[in-house]
Amino acid sequence: MRNIHIAIAGNPNAGKSTLFNALTGSHQHVGNWPGKTVKKKVGRCKHGDYPMKVVDLPGTYSLSAFSPEEVIARDYILDQQPDVVVIVLDSANLERNLYLAVQTLELGVPIVAALNMSDIVDAQGIKIDYEHLEKALQSPVVRTVASKGEGIEQLIETIIDLAEGQSVQSPDQKEPFSINYGGEAEAEIQRVEERIIQNSAVPAHLPERWLAIKLLEEDEELWKRMEGVEGGPRLLEETQRGIDRLEKLYGDDLDITFAERRYGWIAGLVQRAVKRTVSNRMSTSDKVDRIVTHRILGIPIFLIAMWVVFQLTVNISGPYVDWVDGVISGPLTSWIEALIGRVGFGGTWLEGLFLDGIIPGVGGVLVFIPVLMFLYFALAILEDSGYMARAAFVMDRLMHIMGLHGKSFLPMLVGFGCTVPAIYATRTLENKNDRILTGLLVPFMSCGARLPVYVLMASVFFPSNAGLVIFGMYSLGIVTAIILGVILKHTLFKGKEQSTFVMELPPYRLPTLRGIWFHMWKRTSAFLRKAWTVIMVVSIVLWVLISIPMAEGGLFAETEVGDSLFAAVNRQIAPIFGPLGFESWETSSALITGFLAKEVVIGTMSQVYAVEKGVEGIQSTSFFEDLGTIVTGFVDATMDAVKSLPLIMGINLFEEEEKPEPTALMNAIRMNFEASSGGHGALAGLSFMVFVLIYTPCMVAVAAERQELGPKWMWVSILGQTILAWLMALIIFQGGKLLGFG
């Protein structure tokens, strides 16, 4: 049998030396580490046929190389590569002690967690879920009382098993242990890691991901090492640029930011694995979390927070939506019309392309930019303050109760922004079946592209309760995903093992303006890029199809919308939606083009509804007068938005003002839905919103599903969601009629 090399690490006063003595007895010697005055303890023991060398590393709280003890402990683990590292944890102070364990796991070495002084924990009425700890740490956990010799025999047997290659990991846990440091940080870590891999001169025994993290943390010792490596200075120069970018974003040093992430992960683990049955002193954060993450109160608090977000989004953004609409339909349209006339194309098909195609299509979507900006502003505050992680923790517990994988809620949270990155985020799930199931459920989260559709339809049919209706749409998506997940988990995915998930609970902190602006602009700019690419192309193609006459003798670009090729094709599709309350070719065409991008639904409506042509809103006089009117309109919109703030909580501190008149598009939608539904326009509008919520996501999201889930599950998603959307919209409309609603 081979010699087993063991290193023992732990915080000061965790019982590390006591455990070392219990293992080695009198077979130990003490000296100094080479070049250091720190004491070095080495001992030997034997279990059966296995001789063991045990090294007691200096007591340390971390492996951050800020002290000689930390440098010794880290270098020994890296350079000597022991077979097993035993991390001695004070069971009564797990949250503090686990930081060293997490850093050791990031080194990629096998560890055994010895939960020492467990008798004290028992006396305090604290219950520890050892199985959950094992799965979260992906390492064996042993209960010990070193001072009494309890658990020593089991610890030795566990060390031997681990040294011989046996692991507590399930077959699905193939990924090495890692902490998620957040989207932007993870992207930078990956970039540095790739540069390290490409540099063959970097010492092979240094784990690439760990080294990338430490370089980004500006670990002084490792920076010195890399300066002496061929290609190292260039690597450090590129890393420094990444550090500068991230520190501007986070507003703090990266080592502090990364430490907070680790402590957040640990806090989530401890909250789930440690149950205190006796009253303990709690920090202010703990007291807040006791309410926010409460088993019963947590979900209502989350729903109230979301309700406030959507009230804020609708009420505060409303004046800015009217302002943008006035700018686009007034000065901008006048300027483009004048420019086309000045270059000699007035009255031609080119003028029709801009005034009847591009401006209504793209402009009809850009009107809702303020809505998205305020939504992303509110979500950025929740994320940066640390509350969104608590919301995920609360929903994680609910999803476990409903039979779903807890980690699945993180991609779903991403789905509120965009479905495409949410589907790619399922890669973080170790289990293949969990990835597929989560990928099928993610599209039910209302992405930002659906929000303008909700806002428009709710403003048409439910102007007094638009925020509540939009909140209902988002809630319906979550509930649908949960119910469908339960059904699938107990049918197609029945009996599949769930892997453990630790919900990260970062510390509460005051959001920075830089961070809020970064997240808000990053998401809004993605929407704007789509407006100038996908939506513009679709608008042009739609205009061409609308311009092709079907009637004999008709002229291109001079035919009525209802007599066009586009209308003729969609009249064949429209009867499918008859039972849902919106049997008109205009509405069906919006849903068909919505497959390309959900934003296009509104752009299509702006083009195909027979609204009065011409310049609306702000009338153009001269360029400078128009600019003055635009600025004045923005100031007025800001004042109206400030007045709307109390309305979020249902309080009106100002005099009642007249509500803005519905636009021509809104009136056209109302009349069309009233006619096609037999006078049940509001019910048909609600049915339409439910269909948009549920039916198949955009083509880019479908492509992501094919890549991540495979062609089979892509078609399951497309067909399944479309059929489910039709059935749910049918129930809403026909059921509502039977009950006398609408």
Side-chain angles (χ1 to χ4, degrees):
M1 297 292 178
R2 68 184 183 89
N3 254 307
I4 296 179
H5 183 185
I6 305 166
I8 300 180
N11 289 186
N13 304 314
K16 180 174 60 67
S17 296
T18 306
L19 182 65
F20 174 79
N21 293 334
L23 284 173
T24 61
S26 60
H27 304 286
Q28 56 183 263
H29 65 269
V30 179
N32 286 340
W33 291 92
K36 308 286 184 182
T37 58
V38 180
K39 295 294 182 182
K40 174 183 181 181
K41 294 167 66 176
V42 179
R44 297 190 178 274
C45 63
K46 189 173 184 180
H47 186 82
D49 295 325
Y50 288 92
M52 302 179 182
K53 175 186 177 183
V54 185
V55 177
D56 185 13
L57 299 177
T60 175
Y61 291 104
S62 73
L63 298 178
S64 301
F66 291 135
S67 68
E69 290 82 1
E70 291 173 340
V71 172
I72 289 169
R74 191 177 75 183
D75 287 354
Y76 188 88
I77 294 172
L78 281 172
D79 300 333
Q80 301 302 318
Q81 298 182 337
D83 298 308
V84 177
V85 177
V86 177
I87 304 294
V88 183
L89 305 174
D90 178 356
S91 299
N93 295 287
L94 271 184
E95 191 159 352
R96 186 189 68 201
N97 281 235
L98 278 169
Y99 191 85
L100 177 63
V102 166
Q103 286 194 310
T104 308
L105 284 167
E106 287 186 312
L107 285 172
V109 298
I111 76 163
V112 176
L115 266 62
N116 199 30
M117 297 185 281
S118 297
D119 52 343
I120 297 176
V121 167
D122 295 340
Q124 292 177 346
I126 299 174
K127 303 296 182 183
I128 298 177
D129 187 341
Y130 292 88
E131 182 178 354
H132 187 86
L133 277 177
E134 282 194 342
K135 290 184 178 179
L137 298 174
Q138 300 179 19
S139 305
V141 175
V142 179
R143 179 188 184 278
T144 64
V145 184
S147 61
K148 300 178 181 178
E150 294 179 12
I152 301 301
E153 194 73 11
Q154 183 186 352
L155 176 63
I156 294 174
E157 291 176 357
T158 304
I159 291 170
I160 293 172
D161 289 342
L162 191 59
E164 292 295 338
Q166 299 184 33
S167 172
V168 297
Q169 288 187 357
S170 69
D172 295 317
Q173 282 182 318
K174 296 179 181 178
E175 295 295 323
F177 178 90
S178 65
I179 297 290
N180 189 318
Y181 291 98
E184 295 80 24
E186 283 294 328
E188 194 60 46
I189 291 171
Q190 185 175 356
R191 279 192 285 269
V192 178
E193 186 178 355
E194 288 172 354
R195 297 183 191 118
I196 291 171
I197 294 173
Q198 293 168 3
N199 189 339
S200 59
V202 175
H205 70 283
L206 299 179
E208 290 88 358
R209 177 180 169 83
W210 172 83
L211 180 57
I213 293 170
K214 300 311 291 182
L215 290 179
L216 287 170
E217 289 182 328
E218 297 185 89
D219 184 290
E220 185 176 344
E221 193 201 13
L222 287 171
W223 270 63
K224 288 180 180 178
R225 282 202 200 184
M226 291 301 105
E227 286 173 353
V229 171
E230 183 179 350
R234 183 178 178 183
L235 169 63
L236 296 177
E237 181 181 345
E238 292 171 342
T239 302
Q240 185 61 56
R241 286 198 288 267
I243 293 171
D244 294 339
R245 284 194 297 269
L246 291 177
E247 288 187 346
K248 285 181 181 178
L249 170 62
Y250 295 125
D252 212 340
D253 293 339
L254 276 190
D255 58 340
I256 295 175
T257 302
F258 285 6
E260 287 181 345
R261 288 282 183 171
R262 294 188 191 104
Y263 276 120
W265 186 92
I266 292 166
L269 171 58
V270 171
Q271 185 157 352
R272 185 168 295 280
V274 179
K275 305 301 178 186
R276 302 177 186 273
T277 57
V278 176
S279 178
N280 294 93
R281 293 180 61 187
M282 296 183 297
S283 65
T284 302
S285 179
D286 292 332
K287 292 176 182 177
V288 174
D289 282 340
R290 192 174 186 181
I291 298 173
V292 171
T293 64
H294 190 272
R295 190 174 299 273
I296 297 175
L297 298 177
I299 292 177
I301 290 173
F302 170 68
L303 294 177
I304 291 171
M306 291 297 102
W307 180 80
V308 171
V309 166
F310 293 119
Q311 288 289 345
L312 173 72
T313 300
V314 174
N315 286 300
I316 308 303
S317 68
Y320 293 104
V321 169
D322 295 335
W323 173 72
V324 175
D325 182 44
V327 171
I328 292 175
S329 62
L332 182 62
T333 300
S334 296
W335 295 341
I336 293 176
E337 186 177 22
L339 179 62
I340 292 174
R342 186 163 295 183
V343 295
F345 288 96
T348 66
W349 64 268
L350 183 63
E351 184 180 69
L353 172 62
F354 277 91
L355 299 186
D356 301 329
I358 294 175
I359 292 179
V362 178
V365 176
L366 292 181
V367 163
F368 294 95
I369 287 294
V371 177
L372 293 176
M373 291 192 73
F374 277 97
L375 173 66
Y376 295 145
F377 170 80
L379 292 179
I381 290 177
L382 293 180
E383 290 173 4
D384 289 0
S385 67
Y387 174 73
M388 195 59 80
R390 272 75 182 177
F393 183 88
V394 169
M395 296 304 294
D396 167 60
R397 183 182 296 120
L398 174 64
M399 295 180 77
H400 271 293
I401 293 173
M402 303 297 288
L404 294 173
H405 190 293
K407 196 171 183 177
S408 301
F409 193 70
L410 285 184
M412 291 182 182
L413 279 178
V414 177
F416 286 122
C418 180
T419 304
V420 177
I423 291 173
Y424 286 126
T426 60
R427 293 176 180 179
T428 61
L429 304 176
E430 295 84 2
N431 187 298
K432 179 182 178 182
N433 290 289
D434 286 333
R435 287 197 297 271
I436 294 173
L437 176 57
T438 305
L440 294 175
L441 299 181
V442 158
F444 292 101
M445 303 299 105
S446 289
C447 63
R450 291 186 177 103
L451 179 58
V453 182
Y454 300 156
V455 172
L456 176 62
M457 300 302 291
S459 299
V460 171
F461 296 107
F462 311 98
S464 300
N465 298 290
L468 187 60
V469 171
I470 294 169
F471 171 70
M473 288 295 104
Y474 276 75
S475 299
L476 179 61
I478 295 173
V479 171
T480 302
I482 290 175
I483 294 174
L484 187 60
V486 171
I487 294 172
L488 293 175
K489 198 69 178 180
H490 290 84
T491 53
L492 297 180
F493 299 90
K494 185 177 181 180
K496 304 300 182 183
E497 181 185 356
Q498 294 184 0
S499 51
T500 298
F501 173 58
V502 177
M503 185 66 68
E504 181 180 328
L505 295 180
Y508 288 109
R509 60 191 302 176
L510 190 66
T512 63
L513 290 177
R514 182 189 296 273
I516 292 173
W517 172 253
F518 177 84
H519 290 294
M520 184 174 67
W521 176 245
K522 180 181 178 182
R523 293 164 176 169
T524 305
S525 61
F527 184 89
L528 286 171
R529 284 195 297 272
K530 191 178 289 186
W532 294 114
T533 53
V534 175
I535 298 173
M536 179 175 285
V537 170
V538 171
S539 299
I540 293 173
V541 172
L542 284 182
W543 179 82
V544 172
L545 295 176
I546 290 171
S547 299
I548 298 175
M550 289 298 291
E552 186 175 350
L555 299 176
F556 179 79
E558 296 182 13
T559 186
E560 292 293 326
V561 176
D563 298 328
S564 66
L565 172 63
F566 188 69
V569 171
N570 280 284
R571 283 194 180 95
Q572 306 304 312
I573 302 171
I576 298 175
F577 302 105
L580 312 185
F582 42 88
E583 184 181 3
S584 69
W585 71 266
E586 293 95 339
T587 309
S588 66
S589 68
L591 293 174
I592 298 302
T593 57
F595 171 71
L596 300 175
K598 291 296 178 285
E599 304 93 326
V600 178
V601 171
I602 292 178
T604 303
M605 287 180 165
S606 300
Q607 288 182 257
V608 301
Y609 276 109
V611 298
E612 182 180 351
K613 298 291 190 296
V615 177
E616 300 177 358
I618 305 172
Q619 297 298 321
S620 179
T621 51
S622 71
F623 178 78
F624 291 105
E625 288 180 354
D626 283 342
L627 285 180
T629 306
I630 290 172
V631 173
T632 303
F634 180 81
V635 173
D636 291 340
T638 302
M639 294 179 64
D640 290 340
V642 172
K643 291 179 181 179
S644 300
L645 275 172
L647 293 176
I648 296 173
M649 304 309 296
I651 302 171
N652 188 3
L653 300 178
F654 303 92
E655 294 182 7
E656 191 71 27
E657 297 182 2
E658 292 186 10
K659 294 182 179 179
E661 290 293 324
T663 64
L665 174 61
M666 293 169 68
N667 286 328
I669 291 174
R670 177 181 290 279
M671 289 188 294
N672 185 287
F673 273 71
E674 289 286 350
S676 63
S677 64
H680 294 82
L683 200 56
L686 184 61
S687 170
F688 178 81
M689 283 190 282
V690 171
F691 191 91
V692 171
L693 163 68
I694 303 298
Y695 90 118
T696 184
C698 67
M699 61 180 182
V700 181
V702 168
E705 285 184 326
R706 188 183 189 282
Q707 181 179 351
E708 294 299 308
L709 312 181
K712 170 188 170 183
W713 294 108
M714 177 196 73
W715 284 109
V716 168
S717 176
I718 293 174
L719 299 176
Q721 283 190 240
T722 303
I723 294 171
L724 181 61
W726 194 91
L727 291 174
M728 289 181 65
L730 177 72
I731 293 171
I732 293 291
F733 183 71
Q734 298 297 341
K737 283 178 62 178
L738 289 175
L739 295 174
F741 296 127

